[in-house]
Amino acid sequence: QLQLVASGGGLVQPGGSLRLSCAASGFAFDYYGIGWFRQAPGKEREGLSCINSSGSTTYYADSVKGRFTISRDNAKNTVYLQMNSLKPEDTAVYFCARSRTSSCSGYDYWGRGIQVTVSS
């Protein structure tokens, strides 16, 4: 069965760091781009970052550029999102998704999310 499960969330103080993991199974992971998204209550879903199938190309939204870093380990079927200098406005449910192609394009499968809360 196809699964994308985010983990590594929790409560962190402003300025702190977290590393999220997206564990994939049930498909040929190294053939697909993977994106990270988030959604806070009352707000639209926001695309944060994406990495292509080989890991050679990455994309970042302006809201996280310079603070977040996406990476992948195809041997472990896992994509990571290193989040530094966290702000209260980063509080949201974070989840990963599979691209329809090997690059970052539209998405056809949305995984299970994890809560990230940034608060003093």
Side-chain angles (χ1 to χ4, degrees), residues 26-54:
F27 67 97
F29 178 77
D30 57 346
Y31 281 81
Y32 291 90
I34 301 292
W36 281 99
F37 297 79
R38 68 185 179 191
Q39 189 165 23
K43 298 181 180 179
E44 294 184 344
R45 182 180 63 205
E46 180 184 14
L48 303 176
S49 185
C50 185
I51 188 166
N52 74 339
S53 59
S54 69

Side-chain angles (χ1 to χ4, degrees), residues 92-104:
V93 173
Y94 285 68
F95 51 96
C96 53
R98 188 182 77 173
S99 173
R100 292 185 173 93
T101 69
S102 62
S103 61
C104 298

Side-chain angles (χ1 to χ4, degrees), residues 25-79:
S25 61
F27 67 97
F29 178 77
D30 57 346
Y31 281 81
Y32 291 90
I34 301 292
W36 281 99
F37 297 79
R38 68 185 179 191
Q39 189 165 23
K43 298 181 180 179
E44 294 184 344
R45 182 180 63 205
E46 180 184 14
L48 303 176
S49 185
C50 185
I51 188 166
N52 74 339
S53 59
S54 69
S56 63
T57 302
T58 58
Y59 164 83
Y60 297 96
D62 288 342
S63 60
V64 304
K65 191 174 298 182
R67 299 189 298 125
F68 292 9
T69 303
I70 192 170
S71 62
R72 68 190 295 160
D73 186 340
N74 285 350
K76 297 181 178 179
N77 281 21
T78 302
V79 170

